[in-house]
Amino acid sequence: MAGIKTLGQFIIEKQLDFPYAKGELSRLLRDIGIASKIVNREVNKAGLVDILGDAGTTNIQGEGQKKLDVYANEQFIAALTSGGECCIVATEEEDDFVPIDSPVSKNAKYIVCIDPLDGSSNIDCNVAVGTIFSIYRRKSVEGMATLADVLQKGTEQVAAGYVIYGSSTMLVYTTGKGVNGFTLDPSIGEFCLSHPNMKIPADGIIYSINEGNYVHFPDGVKKYLKYAQVEDLETKRPYTSRYIGSMVADIHRNLIKGGIYIYPTTAASPNGKLRLLYECNPMAFIIEQAGGVASDGLNRILDIEPTELHQRTSIFIGSAKMVNMAEALMAEYSPVATIAKLNTNQKLEELGVIGGID
Ligand code: AHG
Ligand code: MN
Ligand code: MN
């Protein structure tokens, strides 16, 4: 009988895919795995100890921080500091990136960008939350790394992953050779390989968007929602609407079942709400590796050139067919001149739109 395979065993086995690897990335992934188990422990007992609620502080983006936001942020920075393989942690919860200024770490090869606790507004009501991380190789050769080392395009990611603290806790990650998922077995305290070689269905019937903001959506998104809600037996429409409000949980579900997640630009968030470095790039890398598509509505997320740490973007991510359709409607109805995807010649008819959209 084949036994279980733990995350640690799997990482070491996969290191052989990279002939010159010295084990630094493996150790970095291990450190992230350890920190996520600590966060998982606190999330699990959230109602029992005084860790629910607001921390009484705000982050640089003016968002109120939950106690667990602050706790998770501290745990990941601590694990990455003591691990010694990371020279900078850029986190959603800190104004500036955090250089790790120890003799070992300051020459370390890797940069980690992290959303320590995603969906934290759900924390007080027992709804799934997550952690999202992204790993880059630093560009500068030695000494203290700089902002330029952090501001790399998503295509430069060496690895990315997320942890979902849900009805069970899972860690899903990619190093650019497919996506693998591990479920935490609480009885042994180990993430065990449970979802090898994850693939997102090419098409789906679930759409996830905060529809309360409808009035502020770009016309292309309004047209897509109209398309999703029209009856058409052949394409299994009307689709099903599912929105948890934790990006990790919404995208994890869509990865397994097929679907599209959209956070477009809105009046309140004219550049989109979600952050390129901590949320969109890592999720885009994972979903592309699973065979899906991630776009800002007009262009590939991973090709966006970041200019600032806390940069935001709109995102359309998920099953290829669904995202392609949404992109085609964006190109048709919301082709913002400066970012228009001029090479989008996909005809709506080719994509199977047969009326029903005014
Ligand atoms: P975070 O908790 O890290 O700030 O992220 C919350 C994000 C994302 O997880 C979620 O999908 C989205 O914000 C929800 O936003 P709305 O409440 O505007 O729908
Ligand atoms: Mn988030
Ligand atoms: Mn967060």
Side-chain angles (χ1 to χ4, degrees), residues 30-46 49 51 68 71-80 82 116-117 131 163 165 169 171 184 189 191:
R30 177 206 57 195
D31 298 339
I32 290 172
I34 293 169
S36 68
K37 283 195 257 184
I38 297 172
V39 171
N40 178 65
R41 187 189 62 202
E42 292 308 300
V43 168
N44 278 186
K45 61 183 186 194
V49 293
I51 192 131
L68 267 167
Y71 181 83
N73 189 45
E74 284 168 3
Q75 290 305 321
F76 281 102
I77 293 175
L80 292 167
S82 61
L117 201 69
T131 292
V163 183
Y165 311 99
T169 293
L171 186 148
L184 183 64
F191 284 107

Side-chain angles (χ1 to χ4, degrees), residues 92 115 117-120 210 243 245 247 261 263 273 275:
E92 181 184 280
D115 176 357
L117 201 69
D118 174 67
S120 54
N210 185 342
Y243 190 73
M247 182 198 205
Y261 173 93
Y263 208 109
K273 175 183 178 189
R275 283 126 301 206

Side-chain angles (χ1 to χ4, degrees), residues 86-89 97-111 138-150:
C86 166
C87 59
I88 283 184
V89 187
F97 63 81
V98 181
I100 304 182
D101 190 11
S102 76
V104 192
S105 297
K106 78 172 185 205
N107 290 314
K109 257 200 226 163
Y110 292 106
I111 310 265
R138 65 184 285 179
K139 295 277 183 206
S140 54
V141 184
E142 56 184 1
M144 290 304 292
T146 65
L147 182 62
D149 288 301
V150 185

